[in-house]
Amino acid sequence: MKKKMRLSMRTRDSLIGLFYLTPFIIGLCAFFLYPIVSSLLLSFGDLDEEKIGFAIVLKGFDNFVKAFRTDTNFLPRLWRSLKSVIINTPLVVIFSLILAIMLSKVKYGKGFYRVVFLLPFVLGTGAVMTMLLKQGVDTQIISISNSSIIPRQWLLYLGADIVEILDMFFSSIIRILWQSSVQLILFLSAILGISPALYESAKIDGANAYETFWKITLPMVSPILLLNTVYTIITSFTDINNEVLTYITDNTIRYAQHGYAAAMGWIYFIAILLIIGVVFLTIGSYARKNQGYGGKR
Amino acid sequence: MNINTASVSRTLSTAGKKTAKVVPQVLLYAVMTGLAFIFLYPFLFMLVTSLMNNSDLNNSLVRWLPRELYFENFSMAARLMDYWATTKNTVFYTVAATVGQLISCSMAGYALARFEFFGRKIAMFFIILAMLVPTQTIIVPQYVIYTDLEWLNTFNPIVIPAFLGFGLRGPLFIYIFRQFFLGQPRELEEAARVDGCGFIRTFTHVVFPVAKSIYIVVLVLALVWHWADFFEPSMYLNKSHLKLVSMRLQGISDILTLPADVLQSEHNINDNNPISDATLMAGTFMVVLPILVAYAFLQKQFVQGIERSGLTGE
């Protein structure tokens, strides 16, 4: 009797669960599974132009061979885009962590700084930031060549090349700062959530700031470290101005190379998966190692 | 004598400690303020430039304060973007898609966090997969589906998937909701069930009020991202009366490159009605203004929501 009762509770539970999941399941089948399977098929062929609607002619690996062998535009773009992700992601994560630590020490005007640091998140996606970057906001703000920071005479000694490199360096740092808004707030709340008792006992044991960072702050924020790294990678991979994506879009819309565009999309997606896999293997295992490490958990 | 040196050295050392505390604090605020300037700069630049007239723009001495405020940029940008109509479209699409995602994603996240059922792991796998696949990879089959459904040139391709847990970053929102509900205690819901509350009422009257903070977080993220997005809308909305305001902004920068005679004949732009980079910045400012206002109202709860959401591993 008791057993039967429990069983019915369980089926009831799973039915309720499925009820809440119904919209998602419909969406999954209609707007994800069907398109993703067709796009996989499409990448091994092309649309049949003689038929109306969605008919695929399979062509084997032609599209992939074209991407790797024939098309001289694709691989360099893919490489540049991967390179910028590999370089920018650690910088965004490190900068946002440093900023969050500094912001957690601020006592007066916390609210003001938070509002300001989140502003690029509101401005920073899509059309608006594209327009602002076209106007050169990133190069103007710390441009050493307009002599607002370093006098013109000093620049003469440096030489034009070095000035240009420094300008490029500053502008990319600034763009990276603008990309770290959300990550900064996530880190900040993780840091504020660390129990002060941990820091006090470390202080009593004579740990300095450097040791405290490596032994307490970093392990305690490691779940967010993982989340932020993945978030940064995904936002930069799906960024509307990403070179590979614009190239794929051009191939789809302008040149109607649907099969080829799908193949490039899949190559790109597999590259993303590889990078995220590496992140999970390294940072993920670090985060798992630190689970249940002191504090509230 | 002995006491004296001790007290002197004590006062010295407290003074030293005080400076040792004050100096880093001052440095901290200096650095923070400098950084705040960097983060504010795009906004200030946009605002200042949008108020300049042509002679201020070309005058390299005028950088921060326009010599006179030139508001015509705004009326020109509004005319070129057809601002009121396109903003109305954008508001409609953003609000509809956001409401859809709040309902469907919270339901899915709740189901995945609370109930045991067959296929839960498979559903999680697909959510992670859908988070990672770029829209561009699957855009062609999607386009064909929407053509077959005769959804082109309607808001359906963007709004209906949002009500089904997809749309712009829907899977990410499901994941956020799931993480939140995993961290919440079940006791309240069980108590509600013992008291004879049905499962739909439990969701609307017990779960939802507790989860308000995470709803605000997703609300803000969805509003901001939908407002800025134009890739999918520009694929499906080609009729001019359906255009979104961000799509029209690109139009201003295209018009800027046209020769003077075309400007005069097609857009009625001449020396009396000039167009410049300032017009573009005025347009940009007008595009973000509604979302900035919305954000201003929600930002406090947004930040608190992130802190309380349990996303940060508490």
Side-chain angles (χ1 to χ4, degrees):
Chain A
M1 182 65 198
K2 220 177 183 181
K3 201 173 180 187
K4 202 185 165 194
M5 189 61 198
R6 211 193 231 154
L7 197 78
S8 73
M9 276 282 268
R10 245 173 132 184
T11 34
R12 198 188 106 105
D13 249 23
S14 69
L15 283 179
I16 298 174
L18 284 173
F19 167 79
Y20 283 121
L21 209 59
T22 313
F24 170 76
I25 293 171
I26 299 172
L28 182 73
C29 298
F31 303 120
F32 187 70
L33 287 184
Y34 176 71
I36 205 167
V37 172
S38 340
S39 113
L40 190 60
L41 282 176
L42 187 60
S43 69
F44 290 102
D46 209 343
L47 283 184
D48 193 342
E49 276 160 23
E50 282 157 25
K51 286 180 191 153
I52 302 162
F54 198 71
I56 299 170
V57 207
L58 291 179
K59 291 196 300 191
F61 286 92
D62 281 11
N63 290 323
F64 291 92
V65 172
K66 185 179 173 192
F68 284 113
R69 287 281 178 78
T70 332
D71 190 352
T72 49
N73 289 319
F74 176 63
L75 278 186
R77 278 165 201 260
L78 180 67
W79 175 235
R80 273 200 298 272
S81 146
L82 293 183
K83 208 165 59 181
S84 83
V85 169
I86 292 168
I87 295 169
N88 283 349
T89 306
L91 288 177
V92 168
V93 173
I94 291 168
F95 271 122
S96 54
L97 181 58
I98 294 173
L99 282 181
I101 290 174
M102 293 197 329
L103 194 52
S104 72
K105 301 231 153 75
V106 165
K107 285 188 197 107
Y108 307 103
K110 261 184 271 185
F112 167 75
Y113 288 117
R114 275 183 208 181
V115 172
V116 167
F117 287 153
L118 267 173
L119 205 54
F121 158 67
V122 184
L123 300 182
T125 40
V128 169
M129 202 45 149
T130 314
M131 285 301 152
L132 286 168
L133 288 177
K134 261 191 203 159
Q135 296 281 311
V137 272
D138 52 333
T139 45
Q140 284 168 359
I141 175 165
I142 301 188
S143 172
I144 63 165
S145 55
N146 71 9
S147 76
S148 60
I149 295 173
I150 303 174
R152 184 81 61 193
Q153 293 91 313
W154 296 14
L155 291 178
L156 290 177
Y157 291 108
L158 290 173
D161 287 341
I162 293 176
V163 170
E164 197 180 319
I165 289 167
L166 283 175
D167 264 351
M168 264 172 57
F169 173 75
F170 281 125
S171 86
S172 55
I173 293 282
I174 280 163
R175 274 200 228 187
I176 282 164
L177 284 174
W178 286 342
Q179 285 165 22
S180 21
S181 290
V182 174
Q183 291 90 327
L184 164 69
I185 293 298
L186 286 172
F187 269 135
L188 180 65
S189 65
I191 291 170
L192 294 176
I194 301 173
S195 148
L198 276 178
Y199 286 110
E200 271 161 38
S201 59
K203 207 174 173 186
I204 291 165
D205 291 343
N208 58 27
Y210 179 79
E211 286 165 337
T212 324
F213 172 75
W214 288 105
K215 295 275 159 67
I216 296 177
T217 312
L218 195 61
M220 289 301 285
V221 302
S222 58
I224 287 299
L225 189 69
L226 179 65
L227 178 71
N228 273 342
T229 313
V230 174
Y231 175 83
T232 314
I233 292 173
I234 294 178
T235 45
S236 74
F237 265 127
T238 52
D239 181 32
I240 194 86
N241 295 319
N242 185 303
E243 267 189 283
V244 177
L245 291 185
T246 48
Y247 189 60
I248 293 174
T249 315
D250 276 356
N251 266 286
T252 320
I253 301 171
R254 227 172 274 165
Y255 313 121
Q257 303 247 12
H258 301 294
Y260 182 48
M264 288 192 292
W266 277 95
I267 296 170
Y268 184 61
F269 172 57
I270 287 164
I272 301 177
L273 277 189
L274 285 178
I275 291 185
I276 290 188
V278 171
V279 167
F280 268 95
L281 281 180
T282 51
I283 302 176
S285 68
Y286 176 71
R288 234 168 289 128
K289 203 182 78 194
N290 291 311
Q291 243 174 27
Y293 182 96
K296 292 178 180 175
R297 197 175 273 268
Chain B
M1 186 67 194
N2 225 345
I3 297 159
N4 227 352
T5 38
S7 75
V8 165
S9 76
R10 199 185 319 130
T11 45
L12 268 180
S13 80
T14 50
K17 255 183 201 160
K18 253 187 195 161
T19 45
K21 263 192 177 170
V22 166
V23 169
Q25 279 288 314
V26 170
L27 263 177
L28 178 70
Y29 282 100
V31 172
M32 290 316 266
T33 310
L35 285 167
F37 175 71
I38 291 179
F39 279 82
L40 266 176
Y41 185 83
F43 180 72
L44 293 176
F45 173 82
M46 188 168 70
L47 190 62
V48 168
T49 313
S50 69
L51 291 168
M52 287 184 182
N53 60 20
N54 252 340
S55 72
D56 280 348
L57 269 182
N58 296 327
N59 187 342
S60 61
L61 292 173
V62 179
R63 188 157 176 213
W64 282 112
L65 290 173
R67 282 177 301 188
E68 54 172 324
L69 299 181
Y70 187 72
F71 288 103
E72 274 74 20
N73 290 322
F74 285 92
S75 49
M76 175 59 94
R79 181 161 73 86
L80 292 176
M81 291 194 296
D82 197 3
Y83 185 69
W84 300 109
T86 50
T87 302
K88 213 173 71 194
N89 285 340
T90 317
V91 168
F92 170 74
Y93 131 87
T94 304
V95 170
T98 303
V99 169
Q101 287 190 326
L102 281 178
I103 296 171
S104 63
C105 298
S106 64
M107 278 167 64
Y110 180 66
L112 291 167
R114 276 292 187 268
F115 301 102
E116 289 285 342
F117 51 86
F118 173 74
R120 195 172 71 150
K121 289 229 167 97
I122 305 173
M124 265 326 281
F125 168 77
F126 280 127
I127 286 170
I128 306 268
L129 192 70
M131 262 160 59
L132 299 179
V133 177
T135 321
Q136 280 82 347
T137 310
I138 55 173
I139 192 82
V140 174
Q142 269 186 346
Y143 189 86
V144 174
I145 296 173
Y146 298 142
T147 317
D148 288 349
L149 291 169
E150 299 192 344
W151 282 3
L152 292 190
N153 287 317
T154 64
F155 288 107
N156 291 354
I158 304 142
V159 174
I160 290 183
F163 275 91
L164 297 170
F166 279 81
L168 188 68
R169 305 197 194 185
L172 178 66
F173 296 139
I174 296 179
Y175 187 78
I176 291 178
F177 275 115
R178 173 184 170 266
Q179 289 301 98
F180 174 81
F181 288 123
L182 278 180
Q184 291 299 106
R186 286 157 183 263
E187 279 78 17
L188 265 179
E189 290 143 53
E190 272 159 20
R193 184 152 74 181
V194 169
D195 289 347
C197 181
F199 65 93
I200 294 178
R201 239 175 97 92
T202 310
F203 189 75
T204 53
H205 285 72
V206 179
V207 177
F208 175 70
V210 178
K212 260 186 190 150
S213 61
I214 196 72
Y215 275 93
I216 300 266
V217 172
V218 173
L219 172 74
V220 171
L221 291 173
L223 283 178
V224 169
W225 281 334
H226 276 111
W227 192 268
D229 185 50
F230 57 87
F231 175 69
E232 280 200 83
S234 67
M235 297 283 299
Y236 305 128
L237 305 171
N238 294 314
K239 296 262 166 64
S240 64
H241 70 277
L242 293 169
K243 293 271 184 206
L244 304 181
V245 70
S246 52
M247 290 151 76
R248 282 301 193 86
L249 183 61
Q250 185 61 44
I252 296 188
S253 93
D254 293 342
I255 291 171
L256 271 176
T257 60
L258 294 175
D261 51 327
V262 181
L263 284 178
Q264 169 65 39
S265 60
E266 281 184 15
H267 301 282
N268 190 24
I269 294 165
N270 48 39
D271 289 340
N272 298 325
N273 283 348
I275 175 175
S276 63
D277 282 352
T279 323
L280 186 61
M281 283 298 105
T284 313
F285 184 67
M286 287 164 75
V287 170
V288 283
L289 190 63
I291 197 72
L292 270 180
V293 172
Y295 175 70
F297 280 108
L298 291 168
Q299 73 84 20
K300 200 167 180 187
Q301 285 149 297
F302 175 62
V303 174
Q304 282 173 353
I306 288 181
E307 279 165 22
R308 285 185 203 148
S309 61
L311 290 177
T312 48
E314 274 177 53

